[in-house]
Amino acid sequence: MNQVLITGASGLIGSRLTEMLQQGGVPVAHLGRTKTSGHVPSFVWDVSRGKIDEDALRRADVIIHLAGAGVADRRWSAARKKEILDSRLQSTQLLYHALERQKYQAKVLVAASAIGYYGFGMSDHEFSESDSPGKDFLADVTRQWEAAVDEIEKLGIRVVKIRIGIVLSNRGGALAEMAKPVKFCVGAPLGTGRQQVSWIHIDDLCGMFLMAARDEQMRGAYNGVAPNPVSNRMLTRAIALALKKPLWLPPVPPFVLKLLVGEMAEMLINGSNVSAAKILSTGFEFKFPAIEEALKDLLHR
Ligand SMILES: NC(=O)c1ccc[n+]([C@@H]2O[C@H](COP(=O)([O-])OP(=O)(O)OC[C@H]3O[C@@H](n4cnc5c(N)ncnc54)[C@H](OP(=O)(O)O)[C@@H]3O)[C@@H](O)[C@H]2O)c1
């Protein structure tokens, strides 16, 4: 790879991906709402105004597209829902038009998507990439986001979409939120606790993005999840065990979750069981296929 351009690079995944690329000696550049600090060339776009510094695209032969307003950062008001959708569609369309206007050298675009594509609440079904999208808000956002990303293929650029599961990192995201109450001895499973959590260690996810950028056989959608999903109860127990903390509270009832986080509670109460078979069939090797090893690595680092 000559140069990789990452959108939304200041976030959880983009910052780890930047580190891993730099460790591998690959030149990286960032495209975001503000310039990122550090030693990485950094370019700015204003997604809602349709403005982009096209110099960002001049040298990039790989584009990794992660930008989007945080799905779990705030309650889903009508305005927030619009921002979650618009930030993804408009940023993708902005890339499309810039790439269409000039013949830049990008050969591949690897885009973030989410397992929310399948909808939540069918834990007896294992979702694979050929399943149809679900019907709730996140499924609808993800379907439209992927459709916008697919347009870029018409420009002769190979497109890979990674349907990301719950990313476990020691620098924020879902694991930090789950570990916080456990650390204070008030951790508890959510809802029935039986719902499946399709998780992935951040380093495996970044490894998948890098493989998708390099492997010319890969195109279309791949689930970005570890091969061994766990129930919410097992995950909460494993976190408590890794932190050597007791777990004594009963599960948090669904109505309390709804009061706390509103419509987003559906995602936490229902979960989804997502298959890693397709990414495994490419020869991808997980460093952290099991939750115990992933948590040991992240919580004891
Ligand atoms: N983490 C997960 O568990 C998970 C799971 C499924 C899917 N994903 C998807 O993967 C992508 C990256 O995830 P992440 O965890 O790294 O997310 P993140 O930490 O929230 O970072 C996303 C980045 O997108 C940019 N951004 C935020 N609001 C924006 C807006 N209104 N318009 C344009 N850009 C905006 C920001 O970068 P700048 O400030 O540099 O512009 C931000 O740092 C996201 O699209 C997310 O939906 C993540």
Side-chain angles (χ1 to χ4, degrees):
M1 283 186 274
N2 293 331
Q3 181 159 110
V4 179
L5 177 71
I6 309 178
T7 76
S10 64
L12 188 73
I13 300 170
S15 46
R16 181 64 186 135
L17 200 50
T18 300
E19 281 175 3
M20 285 171 67
L21 282 162
Q22 287 180 319
Q23 282 160 10
V26 179
V28 191
H30 289 171
L31 176 59
R33 293 166 301 168
T34 52
K35 279 193 180 275
T36 47
S37 51
H39 303 296
V40 174
S42 174
F43 303 89
V44 173
W45 61 1
D46 185 336
V47 169
S48 56
R49 292 208 167 89
K51 295 204 168 115
I52 178 170
D53 179 350
E54 293 195 14
D55 278 347
L57 298 167
R58 234 169 273 287
R59 272 192 299 269
D61 61 352
V62 175
I63 301 172
I64 295 186
H65 182 33
L66 304 174
V71 164
D73 290 2
R74 283 184 230 157
R75 274 175 95 96
W76 292 347
S77 63
R80 184 62 180 171
K81 280 181 165 179
K82 187 171 170 356
E83 195 179 353
I84 288 171
L85 178 65
D86 287 355
S87 57
R88 287 171 172 76
L89 292 190
Q90 290 170 352
S91 60
T92 308
Q93 286 155 1
L94 199 50
L95 280 177
Y96 174 90
H97 290 303
L99 290 164
E100 185 191 37
R101 257 193 308 276
Q102 301 273 346
K103 191 81 191 105
Y104 294 115
Q105 61 186 27
K107 291 174 193 67
V108 53
L109 175 111
V110 188
S113 176
I115 59 168
Y117 177 88
Y118 302 114
F120 294 96
M122 280 176 63
S123 44
D124 49 341
H125 178 76
E126 187 183 49
F127 288 106
S128 72
E129 290 79 351
S130 54
D131 276 302
S132 324
K135 296 200 176 347
D136 54 35
F137 165 65
L138 275 188
D140 193 46
V141 167
T142 318
R143 182 186 55 74
Q144 293 190 57
W145 186 17
E146 286 199 9
V149 165
D150 285 341
E151 289 295 303
I152 291 179
E153 198 148 39
K154 294 183 183 155
L155 303 174
I157 294 172
R158 182 168 63 88
V159 167
V160 184
K161 298 166 288 184
I162 309 285
R163 291 184 184 153
I164 305 171
I166 308 297
V167 178
L168 302 185
S169 156
N170 58 356
R171 296 190 195 155
L175 181 59
E177 293 305 314
M178 286 185 276
K180 219 181 293 168
V182 174
K183 278 182 188 155
F184 291 105
C185 301
V186 289
L190 307 178
T192 64
R194 286 195 299 273
Q195 69 278 31
Q196 292 294 297
V197 181
S198 293
W199 60 276
I200 184 163
H201 187 296
I202 188 151
D203 289 0
D204 278 332
L205 177 68
C206 291
M208 238 178 245
F209 271 90
L210 299 183
M211 179 170 173
R214 288 194 178 103
D215 183 346
E216 291 182 10
Q217 304 305 312
M218 284 179 71
R219 45 181 77 228
Y222 292 81
N223 293 332
V225 295
N228 298 297
V230 289
S231 69
N232 174 271
R233 184 184 296 273
M234 275 172 67
L235 177 57
T236 316
R237 272 208 196 118
I239 294 172
L241 210 64
L243 291 171
K244 297 190 173 59
K245 294 286 179 185
L247 208 60
W248 55 274
L249 284 174
V252 184
F255 82 90
V256 176
L257 282 172
K258 281 183 192 153
L259 281 175
L260 288 172
V261 297
E263 189 182 339
M264 209 191 299
E266 295 303 322
M267 182 170 79
L268 305 173
I269 296 164
N270 292 316
S272 64
N273 181 6
V274 176
S275 165
K278 187 175 175 191
I279 190 73
L280 283 169
S281 75
T282 64
F284 182 79
E285 286 181 23
F286 284 87
K287 276 164 71 184
F288 302 99
I291 193 69
E292 294 78 10
E293 298 157 32
L295 291 177
K296 201 168 145 201
D297 178 66
L298 293 167
L299 296 172
H300 296 169
R301 224 182 242 186

